[in-house]
Amino acid sequence: MAAKTVNVTRAHDTRPNNTRSGAWHARTAAETCIAFETGTDGLDHQEAGRRLGIYGPNQLPAAARTRPFLRFLAQFNNALIYVLLCAATAAIVLGHLVDGAVIVIVVLVNAVVGFVQEGRAEQALDAIRDMIAPHATVLREGERHTIDARNIVPGDIVVLEAGDKVPADIKLLRARGLTVDEAILTGESVPAEKSEGVAAENAPLGDRFSMLYSGTLVATGQGYGVATATGASTEIGRISDLIGKVEMLTTPLLRQINEFSRQFTWFAVATAAALFVFAVLARSYDWVDALMVVVALAVGVVPEGLPAVITITLAIGVRRMAARRAVVRRLPAVETLGATSVICSDKTGTLTKNQMTARRVATAQGVTGLSGAGYAPEGKLVAEDGGAAEPDGARDRLIQAALLCNDARLVDEDGQWSVLGDPMEGALVTLAAKAGLHPETEREAWARLDEIPFDAQHRFMATLHEGPGSERRVFVKGAPERVLAMCIDQAGPGATRPIDHAYWQQRIDAAAAGGERVLGFATMVPDAGVDRMAFATVTSGLTFLGVVGFIDPPREEAIAAVAECRAAGIGVKMITGDHNGTARAIARQLAIANDPKAIEGAALDRLTDAELRAVVDEVSVFARTTPEHKLRIVRALQANGHIVAMTGDGVNDAPALKQSDVGVAMGRKGTEAAKEAAQMVLLDDNFASIVAAVHEGRTVYDNIRKVIGWTLPTNGGETLSVVLAIVFGLTLPMTPVQILWINLITTVTLGLALAFEPSEPNVMRRPPRRRGAPLLSRFLVWRIVFVSFLFMLGVFGAFYLALWRGYTQGEARTAVVNAVVVMEIFYLFNVRYLHMTSFSLIGAVGTPAVLGAIGVAVVAQIAFTYAPFMNDLFGSAPISLVDGLLIVALGVLTMIVLEIEKAVMRKVWPTAAYMA
Ligand code: ATP
């Protein structure tokens, strides 16, 4: 019954957010349907559209974003900036207007860059969040539709199963084994049992057993019901303003860097104070001059732009990952992905294509093959020698079971056949059609009375049907050894006979060894009058019919991705519910290991945690596992020091996803429960996308190291030069305002460019970073010290060379400022490749970001040197072209020294130590 068009005012009267709200738990299902003018066929599309117009989309109002102006102000709320602003005030008060103005400009430019980039990062994250917006199944005009959960309206009939997130408040019309995790509403961690019926009017939320509430998760079972409230009118919408909260742009690494910057600031301030005292007392500096020098130094050395650049680097990583079909739900995953040392993956659909084709049917009488490819119902049964298939009663019954104990449908779109539902079940519909059955007619003739849905835990599905002449039959399909264990005999030829276990084992092993997925079938005639199935009635006394073998080829891109992982020192483990033999054959085709070792779930159960730890590194295939095994496997791997990425799709996978370092949920076949628990969602369910995300994760980490590796020593070089000049009472090679100028011009150009670096070519050819490896690795510390000294040499070299050539102090200082910027540019090229030489064509060409940054810096330097007003402001003076060339030569020399150092270091420190 499709709903009639509802009178708007009436629908309005029954709006769940009016005074009668919350009372649906105390009403019958029929009353609720009448009130919402709906029925078991759901609404019609037009009416649903109309209601959407009235009630609005089913979503909670997003938490108000901070206003842009406040967000801009927040950029200044930082210890580093306070120090800089104090410095600017001091400079202005002491009459050094230019110095003060430059510091203010430094602060403003940093704030603007931070503000703009942070806004872009947030926008990117929002767009990505939309890519994984939840979906829900509703009945409209009698048909199931999967729709965006935002389009659910009151009166919609919503269908739910284990793993779904309840998309609205719902009055149950039917429930089977339904339990719901309502912790989000009630705080109760044990799932609540749900059933049809009427609860007391004053029942508390947790006792309203016939209601499901938006935002809760279906733990087990199935059911459907009427949506009684959507959006902000739902219970969760009323009590919570937490949902839809904007995720903070922060990660452990970012916090570590903020903390580092803060400590560093105080260190810099303290050192500057000491230097000030020394300059005034021991070197008889005028105190105002001394103050300006130390202020400029503090400004120069403090990496005030670093946190913003690193946020940008992370956001760019998130965007690049999304472009490669991996959506990061929690920002810290970007960092962790780069350190991943083991990826545990499901098989079906992730490593394989999940395009199933039934290849053969084996019964007691013999094996029958099938012609045709894909889901197209074209082809026929053929004997093993290629001739026509012999008649076989057991096979006919098996094929009938395959069609009826099955929820899939085939759809034909212009000759392109595809499956609605489980691909393996789709392949069985194709099999039935090839055998001459008409799916719709057969399913109508044999109406389904009851079912036990498939569950990874019990590994079978059973249905009860009533056929012509009121004949009733139970059909079961499932993992063959599981179904065999439920049987007492086997079908034909002729009468039933005892089960020939050896025969079936041999059939199953042969198919599995070829990588085929095998399914067993059985049937029984229930006792008269039975119209419901209990678990116990179907788990014994069945008659085994035979097995079907399916092929599900590995994804080509997964083969390449596995090879990439092996080169990158990342272990790949296949964790599957499938048969040991099948899983190993597929693992071999994917080249997961040279000789993949396998262990079955049952054997795993017999191992203690310590024993599991001892073998877990060696084993690459875990077969016939249940989701509970995943948790133990993750823990064992983590105990062995691994950083583990784990895939999952079902509701029972949630604990393992949460336990792993990077939980990866399937975007297509994954349940909402798995997505909620995961840190990352794959839009295409593809193993290759995980590896792509690891690749990007490594790049992000590399780029962060590059940003730090560039920023700290360039700041350090300038500082060291001036400190040395003061300590030894030499003429300052740069004035305070010139130091500020360098800082202004390079941090927002050169420093930012490294955030946009593409991956280094060898990014997936080196081992993963160690768990807990410090960001400032020994190598980076060495680099900071070495480069700081090198820059200091450059500064004094340029300064004394210019003086020796007879230049004035102003000209010599101009040469020094130019030399510093030029060396920073050359050093940038050196840092772009931490793991290989930068002397290559791609190394020399750079990226648009690098070239743009250099362009800006060069133009600024030309202005600094030649523009008269700049000369006035900064005390600079024009220098000759020859001197310009000499400065570039100095840059080249720096680069050569650094490349030699890199080559030597790569020998001294093999890659692993290099990172640590
Ligand atoms: P993976 O865990 O890699 O995705 P899988 O799909 O084989 O592999 P499960 O879905 O846990 O894992 O299935 C386990 C076994 O249960 C399968 O190997 C098959 O024998 C059986 N099975 C799977 N789907 C069904 C179904 N719809 N009906 C009956 N039995 C099924």
Side-chain angles (χ1 to χ4, degrees):
M1 164 197 88
K4 301 180 297 293
T5 306
V6 184
N7 169 305
V8 178
T9 13
R10 254 200 88 190
H12 215 78
D13 285 342
T14 56
R15 273 180 81 150
N17 57 353
N18 67 10
T19 47
R20 294 160 64 190
S21 66
W24 302 110
H25 61 277
R27 291 161 180 268
T28 63
E31 279 172 344
T32 315
C33 283
I34 292 167
F36 283 91
E37 305 210 359
T38 187
T40 46
D41 276 357
L43 303 173
D44 63 39
H45 294 296
Q46 202 189 356
E47 175 59 17
R50 213 177 57 84
R51 292 192 192 185
L52 191 61
I54 299 171
Y55 297 98
N58 175 33
Q59 64 189 19
L60 297 178
R65 283 198 179 282
T66 325
R67 264 181 285 148
F69 178 65
L70 292 178
R71 222 155 45 76
F72 183 69
L73 278 190
Q75 302 291 330
F76 297 92
N77 184 15
N78 178 326
L80 307 182
I81 304 295
Y82 296 156
V83 172
L84 294 193
L85 290 177
C86 289
T89 316
I92 291 167
V93 168
L94 294 172
H96 289 251
L97 288 183
V98 179
D99 303 62
V102 175
I103 299 176
V104 170
I105 293 172
V106 168
V107 170
L108 278 179
V109 169
N110 256 313
V112 169
V113 169
F115 171 77
V116 170
Q117 294 291 354
E118 211 177 88
R120 283 177 49 181
E122 270 179 7
Q123 267 170 14
L125 288 186
D126 282 351
I128 285 165
R129 219 167 283 134
D130 276 351
M131 292 166 105
I132 48 171
H135 283 75
T137 306
V138 294
L139 287 176
R140 290 201 180 150
E141 298 183 6
E143 287 197 350
R144 275 170 174 250
H145 294 273
T146 301
I147 60 167
D148 187 332
R150 283 174 291 203
N151 293 333
I152 290 179
V153 293
D156 257 328
I157 302 295
V158 183
V159 184
L160 292 153
E161 59 180 25
D164 285 349
K165 186 170 181 179
V166 177
D169 286 359
I170 290 166
K171 168 77 182 178
L172 277 173
L173 301 183
R174 185 183 146 109
R176 250 199 97 101
L178 196 64
T179 62
V180 177
D181 177 351
E182 295 186 328
I184 177 177
L185 274 183
T186 59
E188 174 59 58
S189 59
V190 180
E193 286 181 22
K194 297 287 178 177
S195 57
E196 308 96 354
V198 177
E201 179 99 32
N202 58 357
L205 210 65
D207 292 343
R208 297 180 189 170
F209 58 85
S210 63
M211 291 296 297
L212 304 184
Y213 292 105
S214 182
T216 58
L217 287 168
V218 180
T220 59
Q222 298 172 316
Y224 59 85
V226 188
T228 56
T230 58
S233 312
T234 57
E235 287 299 327
I236 191 80
R238 271 186 259 184
I239 63 164
S240 169
D241 54 1
L242 294 171
I243 309 289
K245 208 170 53 175
V246 185
E247 197 193 351
M248 291 294 289
L249 270 171
T250 186
T251 72
L253 185 65
L254 209 54
R255 282 196 290 274
Q256 203 180 323
I257 285 167
N258 275 323
E259 183 56 25
F260 166 78
S261 311
R262 214 174 31 242
Q263 286 171 0
F264 193 80
T265 307
W266 297 124
F267 169 75
V269 169
T271 316
L275 198 66
F276 172 75
V277 173
F278 178 82
V280 174
L281 296 184
R283 292 278 171 257
S284 324
Y285 269 73
D286 172 55
W287 75 271
V288 176
D289 287 348
L291 188 67
M292 286 328 298
V293 174
V294 296
V295 161
L297 272 189
V299 175
V301 79
V302 165
E304 69 282 349
L306 206 53
V309 179
I310 288 176
T311 309
I312 295 161
T313 315
L314 287 169
I316 292 171
V318 171
R319 259 209 319 261
R320 286 182 183 166
M321 286 179 189
R324 301 182 75 170
R325 325 292 292 152
V327 174
V328 168
R329 291 188 66 240
R330 304 206 171 87
L331 209 52
V334 184
E335 291 163 24
T336 324
L337 272 165
T340 301
S341 61
V342 174
I343 305 177
C344 297
S345 174
D346 289 350
K347 173 178 71 73
T348 311
T350 310
L351 289 164
T352 67
K353 292 185 174 159
N354 207 7
Q355 284 165 8
M356 305 268 177
T357 312
R359 266 281 152 253
R360 63 191 104 239
V361 182
T363 60
Q365 186 181 308
V367 179
T368 315
L370 286 135
S371 64
Y375 295 112
E378 292 144 12
K380 55 182 191 319
L381 303 183
V382 286
E384 275 194 297
D385 60 9
E390 298 281 324
D392 180 349
R395 188 185 61 214
D396 293 346
R397 186 63 86 193
L398 183 155
I399 292 172
Q400 186 188 28
L403 177 63
L404 296 176
C405 185
N406 188 325
D407 292 316
R409 277 199 306 133
L410 294 182
V411 281
D412 174 17
E413 276 166 29
D414 306 327
Q416 283 286 357
W417 288 85
S418 59
V419 180
L420 281 183
D422 178 25
M424 188 170 66
E425 294 193 342
L428 288 173
V429 179
T430 307
L431 163 69
K434 286 177 181 173
L437 292 181
H438 187 269
E440 266 76 60
T441 321
E442 188 72 9
R443 282 174 171 172
E444 260 166 43
W446 286 84
R448 191 187 286 187
L449 303 180
D450 196 17
E451 79 228 348
I452 297 175
F454 171 73
D455 184 294
Q457 209 81 35
H458 55 245
R459 292 204 192 95
F460 71 85
M461 165 176 178
T463 51
L464 170 65
H465 300 262
E466 185 175 70
S470 301
E471 182 188 351
R472 291 194 179 174
R473 248 185 201 281
V474 169
F475 293 115
V476 173
K477 76 175 195 309
E481 68 278 12
R482 172 72 179 139
V483 178
L484 271 168
M486 292 152 67
C487 293
I488 44 161
D489 53 15
Q490 69 184 48
T496 54
R497 27 173 127 173
I499 299 173
D500 182 351
H501 284 282
Y503 170 82
W504 294 116
Q505 198 54 51
Q506 187 228 333
R507 287 272 166 249
I508 295 165
D509 288 347
E516 280 181 19
R517 191 177 159 91
V518 192
L519 213 55
F521 293 83
T523 186
M524 77 188 253
V525 178
D527 294 338
V530 167
D531 60 0
R532 285 263 164 177
M533 276 186 302
F535 204 80
T537 39
V538 296
T539 44
S540 61
L542 297 168
T543 300
F544 196 68
L545 295 169
V547 295
V548 173
F550 303 80
I551 49 165
D552 175 22
R555 290 174 181 258
E556 281 95 29
E557 61 278 25
I559 300 177
V562 167
E564 207 177 345
C565 284
R566 290 185 74 180
I570 299 170
V572 179
K573 313 267 174 211
M574 177 193 283
I575 304 185
T576 176
D578 212 341
H579 188 271
N580 192 342
T582 312
R584 278 188 63 195
I586 300 285
R588 231 175 268 123
Q589 289 171 22
L590 287 160
I592 283 185
N594 296 341
D595 179 24
K597 287 204 178 54
I599 186 169
E600 286 201 3
L604 209 149
D605 284 335
R606 291 192 292 271
L607 298 181
T608 62
D609 286 346
E611 285 165 343
L612 180 59
R613 268 189 71 177
V615 298
V616 74
D617 281 321
E618 295 298 307
V619 177
S620 39
V621 174
F622 297 85
R624 288 292 188 233
T625 51
T626 57
E628 287 68 32
H629 290 123
K630 287 187 172 179
L631 190 61
R632 285 193 68 201
I633 297 168
V634 172
R635 289 203 172 127
L637 286 166
Q638 285 174 333
N640 284 355
H642 285 292
I643 298 202
V644 186
M646 164 71 81
T647 68
D649 48 21
V651 58
N652 298 333
D653 288 333
L657 290 174
K658 283 195 185 136
Q659 172 72 37
S660 60
D661 299 280
V662 186
V664 182
M666 300 299 150
R668 289 200 192 155
K669 68 169 186 177
T671 56
E672 290 300 328
K675 290 182 200 168
E676 296 252 311
Q679 301 209 331
M680 186 169 89
V681 176
L682 300 182
L683 294 181
D684 56 0
D685 294 7
N686 189 344
F687 179 77
S689 305
I690 310 174
V691 181
V694 169
H695 182 126
E696 295 301 340
R698 287 184 171 199
T699 306
V700 164
Y701 199 78
D702 274 0
N703 288 355
I704 290 176
R705 279 161 46 91
K706 288 174 189 178
V707 167
I708 293 173
W710 183 87
T711 309
L712 296 188
T714 48
N715 287 357
E718 296 160 37
T719 313
L720 208 58
S721 314
V722 178
V723 171
L724 226 71
I726 293 177
V727 169
F728 291 107
L730 310 171
T731 320
L732 285 181
M734 290 172 279
T735 64
V737 69
Q738 285 169 348
I739 297 174
L740 293 173
W741 162 259
I742 296 176
N743 194 44
L744 168 67
I745 206 60
T746 57
T747 40
V748 294
T749 55
L750 305 180
L752 198 60
L754 289 168
F756 297 85
E757 276 298 285
S759 316
E760 286 190 42
N762 68 351
V763 66
M764 291 299 270
R765 270 179 263 132
R766 53 180 144 97
R769 170 177 111 222
R770 263 193 313 112
R771 181 188 270 278
L775 187 60
L776 280 183
S777 61
R778 276 186 297 153
F779 172 70
L780 264 190
V781 172
W782 151 255
R783 249 304 159 93
I784 291 166
V785 173
F786 179 72
V787 177
S788 296
F789 271 97
L790 202 64
F791 268 60
M792 184 194 73
L793 285 182
V795 165
F796 282 111
F799 188 59
Y800 286 111
L801 191 72
L803 290 181
W804 177 73
R805 278 164 60 89
Y807 288 139
T808 64
Q809 212 173 61
E811 286 164 340
R813 283 180 172 158
T814 309
V816 167
V817 171
N818 278 307
V820 170
V821 175
V822 166
M823 286 193 295
E824 291 193 3
I825 290 174
F826 277 97
Y827 180 48
L828 183 71
F829 278 93
N830 174 274
V831 164
R832 289 187 60 217
Y833 296 98
L834 279 178
H835 300 275
M836 55 185 275
T837 174
S838 301
F839 286 134
S840 66
L841 188 63
I842 54 160
V845 172
T847 60
V850 166
L851 297 180
I854 293 176
V856 174
V858 168
V859 169
Q861 277 316 111
I862 290 175
F864 173 84
T865 311
Y866 300 106
F869 78 95
M870 295 291 262
N871 296 157
D872 290 345
L873 280 178
F874 292 100
S876 54
I879 53 172
S880 73
L881 187 65
V882 178
D883 294 311
L885 291 177
L886 275 178
I887 287 168
V888 174
L890 183 69
V892 174
L893 188 68
T894 315
M895 175 92 172
I896 292 172
V897 173
L898 284 167
E899 284 297 311
I900 293 172
E901 176 259 358
K902 204 192 312 182
V904 172
M905 280 303 152
R906 282 216 313 275
K907 291 248 157 28
V908 178
W909 260 321
T911 313
Y914 195 67
M915 303 289 293

